[in-house]
Amino acid sequence: MLVKLVKNNAYFKRFQVKFRRRREGRTDYYARKRLVTQAKNKYNTPKYRIVARVTNKDVIAQLIYSTITGDKVVVAAYAHELPGYGLPVGLTNYAACYCVGLLLARRALKHYKLDDIYEGQPEVDGEQFEVEPVPGKRGPFRCYLDVGLARTSKGARIFGVLKGCVDGGMSIPHKSKRFPGYTPADGEESENYDAAEHRKYIFGQHVAEYMRQLSEEDDEAYKKQFSRFIKNGITADNLEALYAKVHAAIRANPEHKKAAKAPFKPGKRFNAKKLTFEERFAKRPRLEDLQ
């Protein structure tokens, strides 16, 4: 029986491996190509994108543009900065993602001296909002959302970052179809967007409802799951006011606060100190000592 050798030596000599980050499953190059490719008639104008990532304990939002030598980060905002603005717990829910997006937008606009021209949406109501150009002034800051490999399902936290950036004054192309409160068309019923439902998520009322429900059903489970909320005096009733204060604090001062670093203190040595030439020269045995 003749078996055809498909993968012969010529096959392996010509085999081309995929990009490293594709092999690692970390980058969607189909999406990246469209996010970084700039029109040739715009010459060296950077194409900015909002890179939003949600991890188990943090939310990361960065303003990035790509170059031949690599991607450059202009400004960044993280959920672990929110305790400095008055939000000590719940740093990865939808409301926290909105705060991170708002912080990034205000920080980026301040970096480019656009914060006084474009204030965004100070009164958060969940409505669809688009930044309009101001006549006689510089245009709105345009960028695009980069979600990476995250699933873009309706109500995903990644879109909380998007909504925060838009309400913060950035111009990002988007629709309301992925926001909480959107209902697609079904038969004769047309599509509908409930802004009040989206506002509920922005101010953490979905968490407040669960807090009330759990405290009524199982008080022990409530005290265990929301122990840090209880420790910081956060209840279901004051959650909305807390997020409103955080939004105001971010708008008042979005600048990054550098942490004070302690001066370098060398640790304990467990090996002999390296001697200089003069020290080695002084330690050498002399001829008169050997006689």
Side-chain angles (χ1 to χ4, degrees), residues 83-288:
Y85 292 97
L87 185 64
V89 291
L91 302 181
T92 55
N93 57 30
Y94 191 92
C97 289
Y98 178 90
C99 293
V100 172
L102 180 65
L103 178 59
L104 178 73
R106 300 313 300 167
R107 189 171 284 176
L109 294 181
K110 192 174 184 66
H111 176 80
Y112 288 109
K113 297 181 173 58
L114 289 168
D115 53 326
D116 294 331
I117 304 173
Y118 299 102
E119 293 186 358
Q121 182 77 311
E123 298 296 328
V124 182
D125 52 8
E127 292 285 352
Q128 182 75 2
F129 176 75
E130 294 286 347
V131 181
E132 297 294 335
V134 177
K137 301 286 186 179
R138 293 159 62 190
F141 188 85
R142 185 79 162 184
C143 52
Y144 304 89
L145 180 66
D146 181 345
V147 299
L149 301 176
R151 292 292 181 94
T152 53
S153 55
K154 191 190 83 171
R157 291 175 291 172
I158 213 88
F159 297 113
V161 179
L162 167 66
K163 183 60 175 171
C165 290
V166 172
D167 284 0
M170 281 183 161
S171 175
I172 306 175
H174 71 286
K175 295 181 181 179
S176 59
K177 290 187 175 183
R178 287 290 178 261
F179 289 147
Y182 175 81
T183 307
D186 184 16
E188 296 180 357
E189 295 182 5
S190 60
E191 62 180 25
N192 179 48
Y193 173 59
D194 186 2
E197 179 73 10
H198 193 185
R199 184 188 183 279
K200 185 179 82 171
Y201 277 78
I202 291 171
F203 283 97
Q205 292 308 292
H206 60 300
V207 179
E209 288 178 5
Y210 180 64
M211 290 173 73
R212 294 189 186 98
Q213 176 189 341
L214 191 62
S215 63
E216 292 173 2
E217 294 177 357
D218 190 345
D219 191 52
E220 288 297 322
Y222 168 76
K223 289 179 180 177
K224 183 179 180 181
Q225 185 165 346
F226 292 98
S227 59
R228 294 182 62 201
F229 282 71
I230 296 168
K231 182 180 178 181
N232 288 277
I234 300 172
T235 62
D237 298 327
N238 64 11
L239 204 56
E240 182 173 343
L242 174 67
Y243 282 113
K245 288 180 182 177
V246 173
H247 298 166
I250 289 172
R251 287 183 174 276
N253 183 22
E255 288 188 14
H256 175 64
K257 304 175 185 67
K258 286 188 177 181
K261 289 186 177 180
F264 174 74
K265 185 180 179 182
K268 183 181 177 182
R269 290 184 65 101
F270 292 93
N271 57 349
K273 180 185 173 184
K274 187 175 181 180
L275 302 179
T276 64
F277 173 76
E278 289 78 10
E279 290 172 334
R280 294 199 307 274
F281 188 82
K283 285 182 65 176
R284 83 195 195 290
R286 292 179 297 178
L287 184 61
E288 54 270 19

Side-chain angles (χ1 to χ4, degrees), residues 44-58:
N44 205 29
T45 305
K47 190 171 186 178
Y48 296 97
R49 67 187 198 274
I50 299 293
V51 176
R53 302 289 185 266
V54 181
T55 68
N56 286 343
K57 294 185 178 181
D58 207 357

Side-chain angles (χ1 to χ4, degrees), residues 22 27-37:
R22 173 61 190 90
T27 297
D28 178 4
Y29 279 98
Y30 184 88
R32 178 179 169 82
K33 178 185 175 183
R34 286 149 182 80
L35 282 168
V36 305
T37 304

